[in-house]
Amino acid sequence: MKSQIEEEFSDFYEKWVVQLEEHLRLLLVVSKEKPQEAVCEAVVTKLTAHHKEYYTVKWASAADDVLAFFTPLWLTALENAYLWVTGWKPSMAFRLVESLKKADAGHSAGVGASLAGMTEEQVKRIEGLRVRMKAEEEKVEREMERMQVAMADRKMVELARLERVARKKGDAAAVGQVDEMVNAAVKGLLCGLEKVMKMADCVRLKTLKGVLDVLNPMQSVDFLAANTMLQIQMKKWGEIRDKRCRIDNQENCLLISNH
């Protein structure tokens, strides 16, 4: 059963993805027609604003239920498998740039073709950004590891022992006191998780902004088109896989019941 936050964010995300698909259609048209820079800049601005809206709503929702974003019910199992601290890993953006840079303009259907023409200066700046963002990724991972290890520190182990003893003795007053301490400790852990989530999101946003700052408007359109297409297709592949699993489970249940 979904919590209220999960219900509300699931509804928001479903509508957000529909709008993302509309942005993709526009990106593909612009990528093919290659209009003036002002048109490209307008399309890029709209999509970046769409992504910022996602994080604004995400952070507001996480303030009430941060754990929902570490086990997001609105994503498919395939999407969940590739999550990095509640979202996409920044390093993926640089891998995508590299793939598009090597793409054959004659076989790219207009998407990503202009990245094959990146200048040496652009390549150098992208590499510098990649190194900086990698360092920030590692900082997030260290903080996440610290939070995970905190679950087994002396304080948490002692609370677990105290609660077990109090419940075994049937001491209601002691149980109440321990519950208060446990709630305070868990609240501290959740605040830590929220902090790490926001750190990771900031690296994602800085990576996206950094890449777009290096690319020219037409290159930015091609990069965003490829990135958006990958995100949407990953969701669709995941939905197909989840549907097949549900059908297989139903068939297995029928086989079992018939025997």
Side-chain angles (χ1 to χ4, degrees):
M1 183 176 178
K2 292 182 180 180
S3 68
Q4 182 179 348
I5 293 297
E6 288 171 329
E7 288 281 2
E8 292 175 354
F9 195 84
S10 293
D11 290 342
F12 161 76
Y13 186 72
E14 184 177 345
K15 296 174 183 175
W16 187 85
V17 170
V18 170
Q19 293 175 329
L20 187 65
E21 291 176 335
E22 294 175 358
H23 282 293
L24 175 59
R25 284 191 284 272
L26 182 56
L27 284 168
L28 292 175
V29 169
V30 172
S31 180
K32 183 178 181 179
E33 296 181 352
K34 295 181 171 39
Q36 294 181 343
E37 285 193 355
V39 176
C40 296
E41 290 172 350
V43 173
V44 169
T45 298
K46 286 182 179 180
L47 184 52
T48 53
H50 188 57
H51 281 288
K52 288 177 182 177
E53 179 193 15
Y54 170 84
Y55 290 106
T56 297
V57 176
K58 178 183 179 182
W59 288 10
S61 300
D64 293 321
D65 185 7
V66 68
L67 291 181
F69 293 89
F70 282 87
T71 54
L73 299 179
W74 48 88
L75 297 183
T76 64
L78 179 62
E79 291 172 293
N80 273 315
Y82 283 91
L83 282 186
W84 177 80
V85 194
T86 77
W88 53 275
K89 192 167 187 177
S91 297
M92 291 178 62
F94 301 104
R95 179 63 62 87
L96 181 60
V97 168
E98 188 64 22
S99 297
L100 295 175
K101 185 161 66 74
K102 294 178 180 179
D104 183 348
H107 295 83
S108 61
V111 179
S114 65
L115 266 66
M118 287 179 64
T119 66
E120 290 185 9
E121 176 62 22
Q122 285 179 310
V123 172
K124 183 178 179 180
R125 289 175 62 190
I126 286 289
E127 176 59 19
L129 179 65
R130 185 192 67 78
V131 171
R132 294 194 299 276
M133 293 304 100
K134 180 62 178 177
E136 296 209 21
E137 275 186 356
E138 292 173 351
K139 183 178 179 181
V140 171
E141 289 169 351
R142 287 194 298 271
E143 187 63 20
M144 187 66 202
E145 181 181 7
R146 189 183 72 80
M147 290 300 306
Q148 291 169 331
V149 171
M151 279 298 295
D153 68 15
R154 188 171 64 179
K155 178 181 178 181
M156 297 303 293
V157 172
E158 180 64 14
L159 283 175
R161 187 190 68 80
L162 288 173
E163 183 173 26
R164 183 173 181 276
V165 171
R167 293 189 184 283
K168 187 175 182 180
K169 290 181 177 180
D171 188 337
V175 169
Q177 290 177 344
V178 174
D179 281 347
E180 288 182 6
M181 290 188 289
V182 169
N183 289 335
V186 170
K187 184 178 180 179
L189 291 173
L190 296 181
C191 287
L193 287 175
E194 185 178 353
K195 175 186 175 183
V196 177
M197 182 200 77
K198 289 182 177 180
M199 285 176 63
D201 286 345
C202 284
V203 181
R204 282 184 268 270
L205 288 169
K206 284 195 285 187
T207 297
L208 183 60
K209 182 180 184 302
V211 170
L212 296 179
D213 283 346
V214 172
L215 302 179
N216 64 40
M218 190 66 248
Q219 291 171 334
S220 295
V221 166
D222 287 333
F223 169 77
L224 289 174
N227 186 61
T228 305
M229 185 184 300
L230 182 61
Q231 182 179 354
I232 291 173
Q233 286 304 123
M234 181 73 77
K235 181 175 180 60
K236 291 182 177 179
W237 293 334
E239 289 172 343
I240 292 171
R241 186 264 178 194
D242 287 353
K243 184 178 179 180
R244 286 175 179 169
C245 286
R246 286 194 296 270
I247 292 173
D248 289 343
N249 289 335
Q250 290 171 357
E251 291 176 347
N252 289 335
C253 288
L254 286 173
L255 287 173
I256 293 172
S257 62
N258 289 334
H259 286 79

